Amino acid sequence: SLRSVGRFQDAMQRIDSAYQAAEEAGADELVVDALNIQASIIDAQGEHQRALDMLNRARRKVITAGLGDVKLATIGTNIGEIHRMLGNHAEALEYLKDAYDRFKAAGINNRAVNSNLIGLGTLYARIGKTTEAVRFYEEARESSLAAGDKLVVSAALNNLAGIALRQGETDDAARLYSEALDMAVEAGSLQYQSDNLDGLGKVHIARHDMESASELLADALAISKRIGYRDGELGASISLATAQLARGLEQEAITTLLGSLRLAEEVGDRDHLISAHEILSSAYEALGDYKSALDHARRFHHERHSLHNEKSEERTRQLTVKFELERSNHQAEMYRIKSQYLQQARRDAEQ
């Protein structure tokens, strides 16, 4: 497809035409499908909130048109994924788990179902529950293999590789990233190829082979820029600059990061913004430009402090949600016990 090879603008134009035609024809399901695809294209370009707004429109259409649980679960999975990327973990879990339950009840195996498993795995990995994450990724890999969906197999392998890398298992990580890359090539997805190359580059960084890392990461960055994959561009540029700085190529690291710094500010990617300022501060210090080094160091600490406060507020909100959920479950259980007691009392009175 145009989207899978990174021709986002061409894909968007065609999908927009399809959306307009579906609206005019009153074809609700086609309208929802068009909105869903538009949102995925916009999301890949880093406009997460705009994509979320579009998916919420699609979800309302599914409900009002009565398009069924499977369609609702498909849209819900994508909404949950964007909430995860925005750091809204409570909302992400709510949508992803609801979609998981609906898919299980339907008893089907397709890309939407397996993408839901990937989403749940990634969410659990983000909150530090590695065992649960691996379980969902493995289920997604096996299910996608059975369905012949190489794209989702690649995604599952890529995420399993990421966990192996974080655990210091570089040989396993390299093998899994290589398998994921092969699958992405066969599926014709440049976006996934960029992710896999970025992962392999990080493996070489972990092995202190900065020259090999730089070659792989430069390829990942070039692909991401060519197809307009902003998240991929940010990730690859941070990794490439890290390798360049380790090789003593401070000016190259600065050149790599300055454009990405503007992109991170534009899309509101705070994690990559923080990493960019930290690396830039080190690079300028190594070059003896202490004024620029101090400026980026200050911005690094400011952004990191702001993000820490925001995450603390989010953790507090998640604990509140968890407490309310547990209280609701407790109240429901008490109601159930009370109802059973009253029913038994009536039966006893009737005897």
Side-chain angles (χ1 to χ4, degrees):
S1 67
L2 292 172
R3 182 196 182 286
S4 66
V5 297
R7 293 173 59 186
F8 293 126
Q9 295 305 318
D10 291 342
M12 199 65 179
Q13 288 174 3
R14 292 196 183 183
I15 294 301
D16 188 56
S17 297
Y19 169 80
Q20 296 297 334
E23 276 278 40
E24 291 171 7
D28 292 328
E29 188 164 6
L30 293 178
V31 168
V32 169
D33 290 342
L35 286 169
N36 191 31
I37 297 171
Q38 285 178 320
S40 72
I41 295 169
I42 292 167
D43 184 58
Q45 296 176 85
E47 298 184 57
H48 304 310
Q49 188 58 55
R50 185 180 165 206
L52 183 60
D53 293 341
M54 192 165 285
L55 286 169
N56 281 323
R57 283 172 54 199
R59 186 173 185 273
R60 288 192 294 271
K61 176 71 77 173
V62 171
I63 294 170
T64 57
L67 297 179
D69 277 358
V70 171
K71 187 66 71 174
L72 192 60
T74 300
I75 301 300
T77 292
N78 295 336
I79 290 174
E81 270 290 270
I82 294 180
H83 275 301
R84 178 191 59 76
M85 286 187 284
L86 293 172
N88 305 329
H89 295 157
E91 288 88 347
L93 182 58
E94 177 186 352
Y95 279 102
L96 289 169
K97 185 62 171 62
D98 176 75
Y100 178 83
D101 291 340
R102 292 177 191 274
F103 281 137
K104 283 294 182 184
I108 58 175
N109 180 14
N110 60 21
R111 178 169 294 180
V113 173
N114 296 317
S115 295
N116 175 261
L117 295 170
I118 295 286
L120 281 164
T122 305
L123 177 59
Y124 278 111
R126 179 68 65 87
I127 61 179
K129 295 189 174 183
T130 304
T131 301
E132 290 87 343
V134 169
R135 179 172 66 83
F136 281 115
Y137 289 149
E138 292 283 9
E139 186 178 348
R141 176 171 64 174
E142 295 306 314
S143 182
S144 298
L145 278 170
D149 191 339
K150 294 177 180 178
L151 195 67
V152 182
V153 174
S154 175
L157 289 167
N158 187 74
N159 289 321
L160 286 167
I163 289 176
L165 180 58
R166 287 192 293 275
Q167 295 177 334
E169 300 166 357
T170 56
D171 289 345
D172 285 344
R175 174 181 56 79
L176 289 164
Y177 277 129
S178 295
E179 290 177 12
L181 180 58
D182 290 342
M183 285 288 181
V185 170
E186 290 183 35
S189 173
L190 289 173
Q191 180 179 329
Y192 280 35
Q193 289 173 48
S194 172
D195 289 337
N196 305 147
L197 288 167
D198 180 51
L200 283 168
K202 289 174 181 173
V203 169
H204 284 289
I205 288 177
R207 291 172 168 171
H208 306 289
D209 181 0
M210 300 303 171
E211 186 171 350
S212 296
S214 296
E215 292 176 3
L216 289 161
L217 292 164
D219 288 344
L221 182 57
I223 291 172
S224 293
K225 284 184 173 181
R226 176 154 56 93
I227 67 176
Y229 176 31
R230 291 179 165 188
D231 287 345
E233 180 179 343
L234 287 170
S237 65
I238 293 294
S239 300
L240 177 57
T242 299
Q244 290 169 330
L245 187 60
R247 296 172 65 194
L249 304 174
E250 292 87 2
Q251 192 57 58
E252 288 187 25
I254 291 168
T255 301
T256 296
L257 281 180
L258 286 178
S260 298
L261 187 66
R262 289 189 291 273
L263 179 57
E265 290 172 341
E266 180 184 336
V267 302
D269 190 325
R270 304 287 292 282
D271 288 326
H272 284 120
L273 189 62
I274 289 166
S275 297
H277 282 306
E278 183 178 25
I279 297 169
L280 284 167
S281 178
S282 298
Y284 279 117
E285 182 180 6
L287 290 174
D289 185 348
Y290 300 112
K291 182 177 180 302
S292 295
L294 181 59
D295 177 57
H296 284 287
R298 285 172 173 164
R299 293 170 72 183
F300 161 72
H301 287 292
H302 171 74
E303 292 291 345
R304 188 172 66 169
H305 180 70
S306 297
L307 185 60
H308 175 75
N309 288 341
E310 289 175 10
K311 288 184 175 180
S312 294
E313 291 175 4
E314 172 63 16
R315 281 194 294 271
T316 300
R317 191 172 68 84
Q318 288 180 35
L319 286 172
T320 301
V321 169
K322 182 179 179 182
F323 171 76
E324 292 295 336
L325 180 60
E326 289 177 351
R327 185 173 68 174
S328 175
N329 290 339
H330 175 72
Q331 289 173 342
E333 179 63 13
M334 291 300 294
Y335 177 79
R336 185 186 66 80
I337 293 170
K338 183 179 178 181
S339 296
Q340 286 181 341
Y341 174 79
L342 290 173
Q343 288 172 5
Q344 184 62 46
R346 289 194 195 96
R347 285 194 293 268
D348 291 344
E350 290 171 356
Q351 290 176 357

